[in-house]
Amino acid sequence: MKQFLLTMAGVFAGLVLFFVLIPFLVIGSIIGAASNPKDTTPAQAVLELDLRGGMTDQESKNPFAAFGGSGLSVVSVIETLRHAETDDKVKGVFVRLPEGGMAPAAADELRLAFLHFRKAGKPIWAHSQGLYPSGVVTSTYMLGAATDALWMQPDSSFQAVGLAGEDMFFKRFFDKYGVKADYEQRMEYKNAVNPYLYSDYTPAHRESATSWMGSVYRTGILTAAIDRKKEPVAFVRAIEAGPYSAEDAARKGLIDKVGQVREASDALIARVGGKAKLVEFDDYMTQTVRSQRAAGGLGGKSVIAVIGAEGPIMTGRGGSGNPFAGDETVWSDDVSEAFYDAIEDKDVKAIVFRVSSPGGSDTASEQILAAVKAARKAGKPVVVSMGTYAASGGYWISSSANEIVAQPTTLTGSIGVYGGKFALGDALSRFGIDVRTTAVGGEYAGAFGTAGSFTPDQRAAFAQWMDHIYDGFVGRVAEGRKLPVDRVREIAKGRVWTGVQARQLKLVDSLGGYYEAIDRAKALAGIKGEVRIRHMDSPSSPFEAFEKMFGVSSTSVRTLAAAGWVMGDPRAAAILDEMAAARLRASPSGAAVLAPTPVR
């Protein structure tokens, strides 16, 4: 039995080694090489920026995330373009546009970066294989219009003619099957749960949706007209008369040229001298911006700390879950810790807080807001740079910053709250499932059971709680934005505003992007000259990530990585084979025994 257990332990250890450690070592070696990149950029390069794979607003905190997606983020792209402006090796940029829509504020941010790159005297061209009405395609077109030359593939379709949205309402379906959506909203424009409560848009819901959609569309189409130097009224009329083929779009002056992607890239290379090589944008970014981040940033002595917050806001810490997925969640412990690290860092003179979040937990939001206030109290100005959206909890965590900078099409505001439950008892009973509840204590203890709706007393208590959260939200905004409470109540009510609208309402201070926020942080801190940008929440190393996932010390994982390298050496492999043979000869039973070795 002892021999059997030893053999089984050996088999188990072998399986772990084969299916877990060996793949990790291979991946770790790849990422390790990426974390210490050598500059392989040719003497003359044209960077190929492919936006067809989608992008996040900020770089993932997970070092393995690049294996699950494009690895591009808005912030990393604009930082890389700013670096490329001064790199003599980079002669231009060739952009592959997505066929569908883009997040409007992301397109705004990239447009500013494109124009800044062009102002440095370097060309940037774009190629589209078609523009189709999926998402906010007007924003994709606007981004292409900001380049020196916009090409389209022959016979492709130009359908950037407007902006439409569609919602599915489940009220009649729920009624048919006995599902009760029991929710409270504060206030009438907080419409996230409307599809469960109604069978059509409420007047407030329709008003809010058409308002922000109209603002996004007008901003995108008029910006494209300005960038293409067209008379706006005639330009909008031409756009809305579509769709067109690529050839018709060229004849109407909506694009510059028709040609295959290879023709467009070859024409750009010829434009910059004919000797340039196409280089993948991500490769160049890894060799420059990411390596600078790992080194703590480059620049002057004074430091501007950058802290990111992308995704839904939740209490706790990140680092769990799928190791190869981007961790697009705002974890309150992590973000707060980054603020307190910046507060304690004597080199940090100001903080740029990059927020792209639709909201989340009010308690998590309050924890982060407290850290923002602590930074201000410590004498370190905080400037919020809003990304795609900074709404609900995303606005909560932004409201007490010294200044807020938003893109024209950032979705923000949504100063409101909702909550509730689905009562499924009646629906389940139709299928022979009976839900019964037991509870002790006060009546509210069972309020969120799924058997039935709130009782009158439970609803009264829940409504009072919702009022308390909403009143607290309004009060924080009034305090942070220095607005009368009554005025905040007028513009709150859960309504979503674009950046343009929010500026008029004094919910944001200025329109612009990431670098405009950095300039404002410099000004508030009284910094002259160059600054060093330090990302306080840069991705951990693969070894540290492995430590979080499996509870193994990073030192031990590095040792395993070194062992993996040794095992890949033929001479080392020969030595290990000889050791195994000797052990086999020494075994009393004549059978090889592989016992697990603890990793400490």
Side-chain angles (χ1 to χ4, degrees):
M1 177 60 71
K2 179 180 179 181
Q3 184 61 48
F4 173 75
L5 292 175
L6 288 172
T7 301
M8 291 302 295
V11 171
F12 177 76
L15 290 173
V16 170
L17 180 67
F18 185 79
F19 288 107
V20 178
L21 296 182
I22 295 302
F24 170 75
L25 294 175
V26 172
I27 293 170
S29 64
I30 294 172
I31 299 180
S35 64
N36 296 286
K38 295 180 180 179
D39 187 357
T40 59
T41 308
Q44 296 186 42
V46 169
L47 305 182
E48 184 176 26
L49 174 58
D50 193 341
L51 301 177
R52 295 173 300 169
M55 61 195 330
T56 57
D57 182 72
Q58 300 153 39
E59 197 135 22
S60 174
K61 312 301 185 297
N62 188 333
F64 298 109
F67 288 89
S70 71
L72 291 177
S73 71
V74 174
V75 171
S76 62
V77 168
I78 62 177
E79 286 184 332
T80 303
L81 287 172
R82 189 63 66 100
H83 182 277
E85 291 176 8
T86 58
D87 188 343
D88 292 337
K89 293 181 179 180
V90 177
K91 305 302 179 183
V93 173
F94 183 65
V95 182
R96 304 290 303 276
L97 294 173
E99 295 174 44
M102 294 181 65
D108 283 342
E109 190 85 60
L110 293 175
R111 172 183 171 269
L112 292 177
F114 285 9
L115 296 178
H116 202 276
F117 188 85
R118 291 176 59 187
K119 191 175 179 180
K122 297 184 178 183
I124 180 167
W125 291 15
H127 186 275
S128 170
Q129 292 180 279
L131 293 170
Y132 299 93
S134 171
V136 189
V137 71
T138 306
S139 296
T140 305
Y141 174 63
M142 178 199 72
L143 185 59
T147 63
D148 292 282
L150 174 55
W151 290 55
M152 285 192 74
Q153 182 170 300
D155 294 322
S156 60
S157 183
F158 183 100
Q159 297 186 30
V161 299
L163 176 59
E166 187 174 69
D167 293 288
M168 297 180 69
F169 291 85
F170 298 92
K171 178 65 164 58
R172 292 195 303 115
F173 174 83
F174 285 171
D175 288 345
K176 180 177 180 180
Y177 291 100
V179 176
K180 169 69 173 176
D182 220 359
Y183 281 87
E184 290 279 327
Q185 301 161 282
R186 299 294 183 274
M187 301 294 282
E188 66 267 27
Y189 292 99
K190 196 71 173 179
N191 50 47
V193 294
N194 279 10
Y196 309 137
L197 304 176
Y198 307 104
S199 57
D200 197 354
Y201 294 104
T202 64
H205 190 169
R206 186 177 294 278
E207 177 191 353
S208 177
T210 54
S211 175
W212 72 257
M213 287 174 65
S215 179
V216 166
Y217 175 64
R218 288 190 301 273
T219 297
I221 206 68
L222 294 177
T223 298
I226 292 170
D227 288 343
R228 291 195 62 79
K229 297 179 173 58
K230 302 290 185 179
E231 195 280 319
V233 173
F235 185 78
V236 172
R237 189 180 299 121
I239 286 283
E240 294 180 351
Y244 303 108
S245 66
E247 289 76 8
D248 287 339
R251 281 190 286 269
K252 292 183 176 294
L254 302 177
I255 65 172
D256 296 297
K257 200 158 185 177
V258 176
Q260 295 291 346
V261 62
R262 184 60 181 265
E263 294 176 281
S265 62
D266 285 349
L268 176 55
I269 289 172
R271 162 75 171 74
V272 299
K275 296 182 179 180
K277 304 293 184 183
L278 274 181
V279 173
E280 288 190 19
F281 195 90
D282 190 71
D283 290 343
Y284 179 79
M285 181 168 59
T286 297
Q287 296 167 18
T288 55
V289 171
R290 284 176 178 155
S291 62
Q292 289 178 12
R293 281 191 183 185
L298 298 177
K301 183 178 179 181
S302 297
V303 173
I304 298 289
V306 174
I307 298 173
E310 179 174 11
I313 303 170
M314 298 178 66
T315 57
R317 293 185 180 277
S320 60
N322 181 359
F324 300 103
D327 190 11
E328 294 173 34
T329 300
V330 182
W331 298 103
S332 60
D333 285 4
D334 291 342
V335 175
S336 299
E337 185 176 311
F339 268 96
Y340 288 112
D341 287 344
I343 291 170
E344 294 173 6
D345 191 329
K346 295 181 180 179
D347 292 333
V348 172
K349 305 304 179 186
I351 299 169
V352 169
F353 188 21
R354 177 74 177 194
V355 179
S356 188
S357 170
S361 163
D362 61 300
T363 52
S365 299
E366 181 63 14
Q367 181 184 354
I368 295 170
L369 184 67
V372 173
K373 292 179 177 179
R376 293 191 59 178
K377 187 176 180 180
K380 301 195 177 187
V382 179
V383 177
V384 166
S385 169
M386 290 183 169
T388 301
Y389 34 50
S392 195
Y395 193 80
W396 187 310
I397 64 178
S398 304
S399 59
S400 286
N402 292 78
E403 290 189 17
I404 299 176
V405 180
Q407 290 290 357
T409 55
T410 294
L411 299 183
T412 188
S414 192
I415 303 166
V417 62
Y418 68 86
K421 67 175 183 177
F422 287 103
L424 304 175
D426 184 22
L428 293 174
S429 69
R430 301 182 187 190
F431 296 92
I433 301 172
D434 298 311
V435 181
R436 300 289 184 261
T437 302
T438 56
V440 296
E443 183 183 350
Y444 195 72
F448 287 91
T450 60
S453 300
F454 293 116
T455 67
D457 287 344
Q458 288 172 343
R459 178 169 291 282
F462 181 55
Q464 185 177 18
W465 177 37
M466 299 293 284
D467 287 337
H468 174 74
I469 297 173
Y470 180 67
D471 291 343
F473 196 170
V474 169
R476 285 163 178 80
V477 172
E479 177 188 4
R481 300 303 302 163
K482 296 181 174 57
L483 292 170
V485 171
D486 288 344
R487 174 56 179 157
V488 175
R489 289 191 181 278
E490 289 177 13
I491 60 179
K493 301 180 182 179
R495 182 162 179 171
V496 174
W497 307 98
T498 63
V500 169
Q501 295 168 330
R503 185 189 181 193
Q504 295 170 345
L505 299 171
K506 298 184 178 180
L507 291 177
V508 305
D509 296 288
S510 58
L511 300 179
Y514 176 72
Y515 280 104
E516 285 71 25
I518 288 175
D519 288 341
R520 290 305 307 147
K522 284 175 59 178
L524 290 173
I527 299 173
K528 305 294 183 182
E530 293 296 317
V531 295
R532 185 162 72 255
I533 306 301
R534 179 176 299 164
H535 290 261
M536 304 301 293
D537 48 5
S538 293
S540 57
S541 73
F543 302 109
E544 292 167 333
F546 196 74
E547 177 181 2
K548 282 186 176 181
M549 284 185 286
F550 298 105
V552 179
S553 75
S554 58
T555 301
S556 297
V557 177
R558 291 178 188 275
T559 302
L560 283 171
W565 177 85
V566 170
M567 284 189 284
D569 185 285
R571 293 166 298 179
I575 295 171
L576 292 173
D577 289 343
E578 177 58 31
M579 290 173 62
R583 188 174 184 182
L584 176 62
R585 291 192 295 271
S587 172
S589 65
V593 177
L594 177 61
T597 302
V599 178
R600 303 188 186 280

